[in-house]
Amino acid sequence: MAAAREESLLTPRSRAETAAEAGEGSSPWWRLWATEAGRVGYLALPMLVVSLSQYAVQVSSNMMVGHLPGVLPLSSAAIATSLATVSGSSVLMGLASALETLCGQAYGAGQYHKLGEHTYRATITLLVVCIPLSILWVFMGKILLLLGQDPLISEGAGRYMVWLIPGLFANAIIQTITKFLQTQSLMFALLLSSVATVAIHIPLCYVMTFMTGFGYTGAALSISISYWLNVGMLVGYIMFSSSCKETRTPPTMEAFKGVDAFLRLALPSALMMCLEWWSYELLILLSGLLPNPELQTAGLSICLTTVTLLYNVPSGLGAAGSTRVANELGAGSPEGARSAVRMVMFMAAIDAVAVSGALLAARRLVGRAYSSEEEVISFVAAMVPLVCITVVTDAIQGVLAGVARGCGWQHLGAYVNLGSFYLLGIPMAILLGFVLSMGARGLWMGVVCGSLTQTVLMSAIAFFTDWPEMAEKARERVFSEKPPQPASRWLLE
């Protein structure tokens, strides 16, 4: 398997040398683009399935809970899932994204042993972060009460989140292993494990919810169990697969060093992701203050759910772009990185046009998929044109965020998101929604202003990027660290 992978997925440096020796530099442009499109597609399509599978675990659990008697279980589970995503998953995903820079560039530079070091370091850091997050989750029911939420829903959501805590620690490991494999283009393991997890989770969730007496908390426990099963599958693959032979290293004392260097990339990565993510959640909270809040909140929730589902495509392209850019920069190939950016941007543009056009044509079907109330259907149909703008900006921004992670300029992305959404988007949403009495439409228009500003600024940064300088910085980042210590330093011998 290792030999087959080396033939099909050469490191960027090997490809550059091979092209020079074989005279491939004279290949027509369309052949080069087709080759790059194949590489991007090989990464993006599996990541799309992985993202959808992870999303399906939570959605299927809420669907099971929705079939329990009464509306309280579903309300509690829905609020708990949203809070867990905002306060847990988004933070872990953001922190782990630093590995797309570190591991991706190290792999491109042929420093395979450093992938293991970075991954151990990230895993330890994320597991430590899970401790205060789990404490927060334990008291989430009381926090909701203090915020004036319904006592029964607050208690139910708090209980649901307590059973999600074991899955929080598993998710931390999943995120780091995912980046470890993604940056090596080992997509088959991620694809297989995520699909297998969903296949196991659905019957497990049914049993835990309806046949064990756990009720709605059984759905939360099944999520935690499924996450740990996913961890077991991924760890088993890394331990026994020959594909990870060069990057699989024993844990050493080096894993406890260099955490500050990891955090210098991880914290901006988390901020870049969370600042945007939280702005949309804040939009839903603001909608509850509008007149007729039931309709406004329901309509905006449908729009946000639709946007979140459709974002999986640019997210997959962004992951592919991050891997390709990081690998090429680590290999000292600025032209390869530039070519990868052009290709993923081209694919993002196609996705934006196709998806927004289809969504606009089927604008009444969007609301009908979630509700049979004519008032809700008409409300969502009126919101779809604005949602289409968000789909377009998300497609471009999702790819540019991946480029930022591949280059290592997450700090710029964090500044852009802070200014775009919290200095412009949210204040504009409040102005349009409340002061000018435009309601939910005004709230979404405000966030659209933020997303448009974000897209313009991120595009400008990518356009004016000095790719040779980025390649030099990547090589400096990779080779500035000390070589691995002798075997006597292994923690596990």
Side-chain angles (χ1 to χ4, degrees):
M1 182 181 295
R5 188 186 73 165
E6 288 176 359
E7 292 176 1
S8 60
L9 291 173
L10 296 173
T11 64
R13 172 57 63 187
S14 298
R15 283 198 302 271
E17 293 172 353
T18 302
E21 293 172 0
E24 291 178 0
S26 59
S27 298
W29 66 268
W30 57 267
R31 181 172 296 175
L32 297 176
W33 272 62
T35 302
E36 185 62 42
R39 293 168 183 158
V40 171
Y42 177 85
L43 294 166
L45 291 178
M47 285 306 300
L48 171 60
V49 177
V50 170
S51 298
L52 290 175
S53 298
Q54 294 175 351
Y55 186 68
V57 169
Q58 295 185 349
V59 171
S60 60
S61 297
N62 284 346
M63 291 175 66
M64 296 285 183
V65 172
H67 288 84
L68 290 171
V71 297
L72 180 61
L74 179 58
S75 299
S76 300
I79 291 178
T81 300
S82 178
L83 290 173
T85 300
V86 170
S87 62
S89 299
S90 62
V91 176
L92 297 179
M93 289 176 64
L95 291 172
S97 294
L99 290 179
E100 295 185 46
T101 304
L102 298 171
C103 289
Q105 294 181 358
Y107 187 76
Q111 300 295 298
Y112 302 126
H113 65 277
K114 291 189 176 182
L115 274 75
E117 294 177 7
H118 291 313
T119 304
Y120 286 129
R121 193 172 296 138
T123 301
I124 292 170
T125 303
L126 264 65
L127 288 176
V128 171
V129 170
C130 286
I131 296 174
L133 291 180
S134 62
I135 296 174
L136 175 67
W137 286 14
V138 167
F139 294 99
M140 189 60 72
K142 295 182 179 179
I143 294 174
L144 289 173
L145 277 176
L146 292 176
L147 294 176
Q149 299 296 314
D150 180 84
L152 293 178
I153 294 179
S154 299
E155 180 184 359
R159 290 181 59 193
Y160 194 90
M161 292 193 72
V162 167
W163 288 100
L164 288 176
I165 290 176
L168 177 68
F169 288 86
N171 193 21
I173 302 175
I174 290 172
Q175 295 302 326
T176 56
I177 293 179
T178 296
K179 305 305 181 186
F180 173 79
L181 296 174
Q182 173 193 324
T183 51
Q184 301 175 65
S185 300
L186 295 175
M187 311 308 296
F188 180 73
L190 291 173
L191 178 64
L192 187 61
S193 66
S194 61
V195 173
T197 299
V198 174
I200 294 172
H201 173 75
I202 292 176
L204 174 64
C205 185
Y206 180 86
V207 171
M208 297 294 296
T209 304
F210 297 103
M211 302 177 64
T212 61
F214 279 98
Y216 75 103
T217 57
L221 181 57
S222 68
I223 292 176
S224 296
I225 294 174
S226 297
Y227 280 177
W228 278 109
L229 289 174
N230 195 5
V231 169
M233 287 185 277
L234 292 173
V235 170
Y237 174 81
I238 292 173
M239 290 179 62
F240 299 108
S241 173
S242 59
S243 299
C244 299
K245 181 180 179 180
E246 294 179 313
T247 56
R248 181 177 59 233
T249 57
T252 69
M253 290 300 296
E254 296 299 320
F256 297 94
K257 299 178 181 179
V259 174
D260 56 338
F262 170 73
L263 289 176
R264 279 197 294 270
L265 279 174
L267 291 178
S269 294
L271 283 174
M272 184 175 68
M273 179 175 293
C274 293
L275 286 173
E276 180 181 7
W277 203 326
W278 293 345
S279 66
Y280 284 95
E281 297 294 337
L282 183 58
L283 191 72
I284 302 299
L285 294 176
L286 289 174
S287 67
L289 304 176
L290 293 170
N292 193 5
E294 293 83 3
L295 174 63
Q296 308 275 2
T297 303
L300 283 181
S301 297
I302 291 173
C303 294
L304 181 58
T305 301
T306 302
V307 167
T308 302
L309 180 62
L310 295 175
Y311 185 72
N312 283 288
V313 177
S315 177
L317 288 173
S322 170
T323 300
R324 291 288 301 118
V325 169
N327 288 171
E328 295 291 349
L329 291 178
S333 175
E335 286 304 317
R338 194 198 310 269
S339 176
V341 172
R342 289 171 178 170
M343 177 51 63
V344 291
M345 289 295 291
F346 177 70
M347 290 184 170
I350 294 177
D351 169 67
V353 173
V355 173
S356 60
L359 193 64
L360 189 61
R363 54 186 177 274
R364 289 193 61 83
L365 295 179
V366 176
R368 198 177 299 276
Y370 294 91
S371 175
S372 57
E373 297 290 333
E374 181 59 33
E375 188 179 22
V376 175
I377 295 172
S378 299
F379 179 89
V380 173
M383 291 289 295
V384 163
L386 290 175
V387 173
C388 288
I389 299 176
T390 304
V391 168
V392 173
T393 57
D394 276 357
I396 300 174
Q397 180 276 332
V399 167
L400 291 174
V403 173
R405 298 192 300 270
C407 292
W409 43 265
Q410 292 94 324
H411 60 289
L412 294 179
Y415 289 136
V416 167
N417 287 356
L418 176 63
S420 299
F421 289 102
Y422 294 88
L423 298 183
L424 176 64
I426 297 301
M428 185 66 69
I430 295 174
L431 173 65
L432 296 175
F434 294 97
V435 178
L436 299 183
S437 302
M438 296 179 65
R441 190 178 181 87
L443 291 180
W444 197 279
M445 288 175 64
V447 176
V448 164
C449 291
S451 62
L452 286 171
T453 303
Q454 174 202 36
T455 301
V456 171
L457 292 176
M458 293 284 280
S459 299
I461 294 173
F463 181 80
F464 290 107
T465 294
D466 186 337
W467 293 106
E469 182 182 352
M470 284 289 106
E472 290 181 8
K473 289 183 178 180
R475 302 283 286 183
E476 290 175 3
R477 179 182 289 115
V478 172
F479 292 103
S480 64
E481 298 180 1
K482 296 180 180 180
Q485 299 298 316
S488 60
R489 297 288 299 277
W490 296 143
L491 294 178
L492 300 177
E493 297 185 352

